[in-house]
Amino acid sequence: MAEPQPLLRAIDVHKKFGDVEVLKGIDIDVQKGEVLAIIGSSGSGKTTFLRCINLLEEFHQGEIQVDGERIGYTAGSHKRLGEAAIAAQRARIGMVFQSFNLFPHMTAEQNVTLGLIKVQGRRKEEAVEIARRWLDRVGLAERRDHYPYQLSGGQQQRVAIARAVSMEPKLVLFDEVTSALDPELVSEVLAVMQDLAKSGMTMLVVSHEMSFVRAVATRVVFMEAGRIAEEGPPAELFARPKSERLAAFLGRFHGLAH
Amino acid sequence: MFSFEPGTFLFEAWVARNQLLAGLAVTAQLSVITIFAGSVIGVFGGVGLTYGPLPIRFLLRVYVDAVRGIPVLVLILFSYYGLALLGIHISPFTAGVVALGGFCGAHMSETVRGALESIPAGQTEAAKAIGLRFTQRLRYVLLPQAVRRLLPPWVNTGVEMVKGTTLLSIIGVVELLLATQQTIARNYLILQFYFAAGMLYVLVNITISQLGALLERRTAHLRY
Amino acid sequence: MTYQFNFDPIFRSFDKMLAGLWLGLWLAALSLAIGCVIGLLVAYGRQSRIAPLRWALVTYVEVIRNCPILLLIFFVYFGLPELGIFFLDKIDSFILTLSVYAGAYLSEVFRSGLTSIPVRYVEAAKAIGLRPWQRQRYVVLPVMFRITLPALANNLISLFKDTSLAAAIAIPELTFITRQINANTFRVMESWLTASVLYLVTCYAIAWALRRVERRYAVIR
């Protein structure tokens, strides 16, 4: 049976910080419409892997393809592409950060329209319309003229999600997006993400919210010491972890995740 | 190739050497006196601004804010023409020292206040708790801690004062800049002599900054 | 001895003093504007990979910051014609000097402003696909401008005070005018008191106005 071309394909991705190898060969395919959750303890390399996909980190070996296009490096000699080419590739990959990283000098709406206007070259009115639609969808229609410092953490993160998805990227990377939030603000952000997942968006989610992962992910990857240690559908993985490590990791969340 | 004939920079500099060195000496004198006076005013002013009773705090605040809002040159001219009114025969040098010292003192007061206020309140409380009187608290607890924070701005102010002494050339104090101009008036080597004098100031000031940095490293163990 | 205050001669020349004050403000504002351009270029230049360029820029900054401004004013005004540069009148020459002087200080302000911008803002700008110069134009520079606003305000105020030195080359700003009035009327206290108050009020007015601007733009907490 012919597999469709995966939306994201990582082949033997290696990454070093100095002498320390934090990614020791990551291989993974993600199909369009999948919601892939990446779990693992801190230092396992999951955030680094996500940042490699968006070229915020350089990797030293291997290759990453998005929709069949090789990302960040030339084929063969593994030379980093020029900034313009990399910027164009990043524009097709959305990213949401742990610390929101909204531009502090711009309103919620301006945060969303910046990329639509300056990267995608849309007219301002069109960009504003798109931004308003997305801000409405994440429940912040009335806050569009607020500056980041006037918004709660949960609201800032929802604006950041709107900023990422409004550009209609092929896939969106979520890097521990609820870790910096006060507990009572987590659910509003997760609800937005669940809504996006239902609409068929391809998502890579690094998260410690196990109940969210269980409910929303179509597939879960467990990373351990720079490698993918286990993967499978969430129900299976959570119910019958194959390795001691995963069992121990999941054990830590018992009682925490309802 | 250095030629040493009348009209060349080296020759003219040699001819003017005593005049220029005398100017440099006046600059050094002025700098040392104003920095010293300014520091003394600054310590008292800073302590007064931080711990003084309201009327004193108010008067000091007026002094500090007024002086910092008026150009130094205006202070100098005011002091030069104004002090003469008092009937005393006052030299430009003295008038200049009064103006520059007062200027330096205002800036130092503000610096000392900032340093004192940055010391955690717990220090004062602990000093009170062991029974130290106000002057003892200042002498043994607060000022020693303020010193390290004071050092960088103090050195900075020092450099500013060395540069500021040039303004006294305008009221006729023959410091290095005026001595240079008098030399230039004789030999017309405008670029060379201004350049040389400028480099001399740069040299002196960078030396001061470097000494300050050295002192800062030496007192690094005083970081509380 | 009691001094009899008589402000009448001062009031008769008050419009001249105000004109001098206005000229000083213009000199300061223009020099700040040109100085900002110089300062930005130098701040970016000092991040360059070309070492000789970095050394040249460090030399510029250190020499200017350690040299008395009055000497620089004389050097440019009397010295540049020696090099065949005659086209500067007094005011041009002063603006040139003050701009170069301001540029050295402002480059340090911008340099620390640039380094104080959190990396995460740049990363977010990368993530939405902005190119390098777009990241500078839309994210780094606006944020840096807001961070450095208080320092820029202080610089404007000290530049304004430095315009008093233009009196040394007979530019008719407030200090020069006051000295003339002093000489013509012998009203020593009155003339210098008036000038001092005018300077004070202007400095604090600038500070007040710019604090309002700061508050308007203070979006970074």
Side-chain angles (χ1 to χ4, degrees):
Chain A
M1 188 174 109
E3 278 271 309
Q5 176 181 282
L7 185 69
L8 173 78
R9 164 167 280 178
I11 306 167
D12 194 31
V13 174
H14 288 257
K15 156 86 190 163
K16 278 188 229 163
F17 283 117
D19 290 336
V20 187
E21 197 171 34
V22 288
L23 296 180
K24 298 170 181 166
I26 303 288
D27 291 275
I28 200 162
D29 281 0
V30 179
Q31 301 297 332
K32 193 168 181 319
E34 264 198 284
V35 177
L36 180 82
I38 306 177
I39 62 173
S41 49
S42 55
S44 60
K46 46 195 198 318
T47 287
T48 305
F49 176 55
L50 222 57
R51 289 168 60 86
C52 283
I53 298 173
N54 209 6
L55 306 164
L56 291 177
E57 302 286 355
E58 304 196 15
F59 52 95
H60 303 97
Q61 193 186 317
E63 104 175 60
I64 296 176
Q65 298 169 3
V66 171
D67 219 3
E69 182 187 354
R70 195 187 170 98
I71 286 288
Y73 297 88
T74 56
S77 60
H78 198 74
K79 263 225 183 86
R80 197 169 160 86
L81 296 176
E83 281 288 342
I86 286 182
Q89 292 179 338
R90 282 181 180 135
R92 296 194 282 275
I93 305 168
M95 179 146 189
V96 185
F97 298 86
Q98 180 176 349
S99 49
F100 334 134
N101 302 4
L102 289 184
F103 305 124
H105 59 299
M106 295 179 177
T107 61
E109 184 175 292
Q110 289 168 335
N111 260 280
V112 180
T113 55
L114 181 65
L116 295 170
I117 297 171
K118 299 302 172 190
V119 177
Q120 297 190 333
R122 292 178 197 266
R123 283 179 302 110
K124 189 168 176 247
E125 308 84 74
E126 190 190 357
V128 166
E129 196 193 308
I130 295 173
R132 292 188 178 174
R133 203 164 64 229
W134 277 104
L135 286 173
D136 189 28
R137 178 140 171 206
V138 299
L140 290 172
E142 297 97 75
R143 300 295 162 102
R144 60 171 187 248
D145 291 328
H146 285 51
Y147 285 93
Y149 76 90
Q150 296 168 316
L151 299 171
S152 74
Q155 292 170 332
Q156 289 190 51
Q157 195 58 295
R158 285 186 279 154
V159 175
I161 292 173
R163 177 173 71 182
V165 295
S166 66
M167 295 179 72
E168 293 174 351
K170 290 174 176 163
L171 84 160
V172 186
L173 313 171
F174 293 84
D175 182 15
E176 301 198 29
V177 295
T178 56
S179 300
L181 294 175
D182 292 335
E184 72 272 19
L185 301 177
V186 168
S187 60
E188 63 187 67
V189 172
L190 293 181
V192 167
M193 290 168 68
Q194 190 154 16
D195 170 47
L196 293 174
K198 265 192 224 141
S199 70
M201 185 166 288
T202 313
M203 297 163 55
L204 256 68
V205 183
V206 167
S207 181
H208 290 297
E209 297 291 334
M210 289 308 151
S211 51
F212 172 78
V213 169
R214 194 194 291 255
V216 177
T218 54
R219 188 153 56 110
V220 179
V221 158
F222 173 61
M223 277 185 73
E224 166 73 18
R227 290 199 175 81
I228 293 179
E230 252 183 90
E231 64 171 287
E236 197 176 302
L237 209 77
F238 284 122
R240 289 177 293 280
K242 289 184 201 109
S243 67
E244 284 287 316
R245 299 269 195 181
L246 179 55
F249 176 76
L250 292 172
R252 276 193 265 147
F253 290 91
H254 275 305
L256 281 179
H258 324 297
Chain B
M1 243 186 27
F2 293 106
S3 55
F4 198 74
E5 286 157 26
T8 63
F9 172 68
L10 283 179
F11 179 85
E12 297 297 340
W14 179 252
V15 171
R17 67 188 183 283
N18 286 329
Q19 195 180 357
L20 292 174
L21 282 176
L24 184 63
V26 172
T27 291
Q29 242 179 356
L30 281 168
S31 305
V32 170
I33 296 175
T34 52
I35 292 171
F36 181 77
S39 303
V40 172
I41 298 174
V43 170
F44 284 101
V47 170
L49 276 173
T50 321
Y51 304 111
L54 194 63
I56 294 203
R57 268 204 327 259
F58 176 76
L59 286 177
L60 283 170
R61 184 43 62 201
V62 170
Y63 156 63
V64 169
D65 285 356
V67 168
R68 294 192 315 153
I70 300 172
V72 205
L73 181 57
V74 173
L75 293 175
I76 290 169
L77 293 172
F78 202 163
S79 140
Y80 178 54
Y81 295 117
L83 286 178
L85 277 186
L86 297 178
I88 325 161
H89 220 71
I90 245 171
S91 68
F93 187 95
T94 316
V97 165
V98 169
L100 283 181
F103 172 79
C104 184
H107 280 265
M108 291 304 299
S109 299
E110 196 59 8
T111 311
V112 171
R113 183 194 59 80
L116 284 173
E117 281 183 356
S118 71
I119 298 171
Q123 293 295 312
T124 301
E125 288 167 8
K128 280 180 183 167
I130 60 170
L132 294 179
R133 282 175 288 111
F134 176 68
T135 46
Q136 292 174 316
R137 294 201 294 274
L138 271 181
R139 165 79 184 76
Y140 299 111
V141 179
L142 297 172
L143 286 177
Q145 297 192 51
V147 162
R148 217 190 110 76
R149 290 168 225 252
L150 275 176
L151 203 51
W154 188 71
V155 171
N156 242 332
T157 310
V159 170
E160 289 307 315
M161 294 323 294
V162 173
K163 288 160 50 175
T165 57
T166 54
L167 302 196
L168 299 187
S169 67
I170 293 177
I171 56 171
V173 177
V174 191
E175 40 63 76
L176 181 56
L177 179 57
L178 189 50
T180 307
Q181 286 174 311
Q182 289 174 346
T183 309
I184 290 172
R186 268 201 318 275
N187 57 38
Y188 296 105
L189 296 173
I190 301 173
L191 278 172
Q192 291 91 324
F193 274 92
Y194 274 133
F195 184 80
M199 284 304 118
L200 204 53
Y201 279 108
V202 170
L203 203 71
V204 169
N205 285 332
I206 287 184
T207 309
I208 294 177
S209 302
Q210 291 301 316
L211 286 177
L214 185 75
L215 205 59
E216 223 177 306
R217 280 197 295 280
R218 283 285 177 80
T219 55
H221 62 283
L222 292 179
R223 195 173 351 207
Y224 307 101
Chain C
M1 176 188 119
T2 52
Y3 186 86
Q4 295 293 320
F5 277 94
N6 175 11
F7 277 95
D8 287 346
I10 309 300
F11 287 135
R12 276 197 289 279
S13 313
F14 198 62
D15 51 341
K16 276 177 79 183
M17 293 182 93
L18 285 183
L21 182 77
W22 188 239
L23 177 60
L25 274 173
W26 263 110
L27 294 173
L30 260 176
S31 306
L32 182 80
I34 304 171
C36 275
V37 175
I38 299 175
L40 259 186
L41 292 176
V42 173
Y44 275 108
R46 286 186 65 176
Q47 296 180 341
S48 158
R49 253 173 281 177
I50 308 159
L53 175 65
R54 286 201 312 269
W55 298 332
L57 295 177
V58 173
T59 309
Y60 155 67
V61 171
E62 288 306 316
V63 165
I64 296 296
R65 293 203 315 157
N66 285 295
C67 203
I69 170 88
L70 187 57
L71 194 147
L72 292 173
I73 292 168
F74 289 144
F75 182 79
V76 170
Y77 182 57
F78 295 114
L80 286 195
E82 293 287 297
L83 292 173
I85 304 171
F86 290 110
F87 53 83
L88 296 174
D89 67 12
K90 277 190 285 208
I91 290 189
D92 295 339
S93 143
F94 184 77
I95 291 174
L96 172 68
T97 314
L98 204 56
S99 304
V100 168
Y101 182 72
Y105 282 88
L106 291 169
S107 77
E108 291 292 278
V109 170
F110 292 140
R111 216 159 60 91
S112 72
L114 284 176
T115 53
S116 68
I117 293 176
V119 193
R120 53 204 187 86
Y121 295 142
V122 182
E123 285 192 344
K126 284 180 181 174
I128 61 169
L130 291 175
R131 293 158 181 239
W133 73 265
Q134 288 180 315
R135 301 200 284 261
Q136 298 298 324
R137 165 72 183 78
Y138 299 112
V139 179
V140 174
L141 283 177
V143 175
M144 185 198 67
F145 166 71
R146 284 157 173 83
I147 294 177
T148 55
L149 209 54
L152 292 182
N154 283 339
N155 268 278
L156 178 60
I157 290 170
S158 42
L159 284 177
F160 171 62
K161 289 194 284 178
D162 288 337
T163 58
S164 64
L165 300 183
I169 53 173
I171 290 174
E173 51 63 63
L174 180 53
T175 304
F176 184 79
I177 300 280
T178 309
R179 219 179 164 189
Q180 270 187 342
I181 295 172
N182 179 22
N184 294 339
T185 65
F186 299 109
R187 303 316 309 172
V188 177
M189 293 310 254
E190 292 88 336
S191 48
W192 292 108
L193 267 179
T194 310
S196 300
V197 168
L198 281 175
Y199 273 115
L200 262 175
V201 168
T202 313
C203 282
Y204 283 100
I206 298 174
W208 177 82
L210 290 179
R211 252 201 304 279
R212 289 187 58 114
V213 177
E214 264 165 53
R215 233 174 286 144
R216 159 109 173 62
Y217 283 107
V219 291
I220 300 146
R221 297 286 151 102

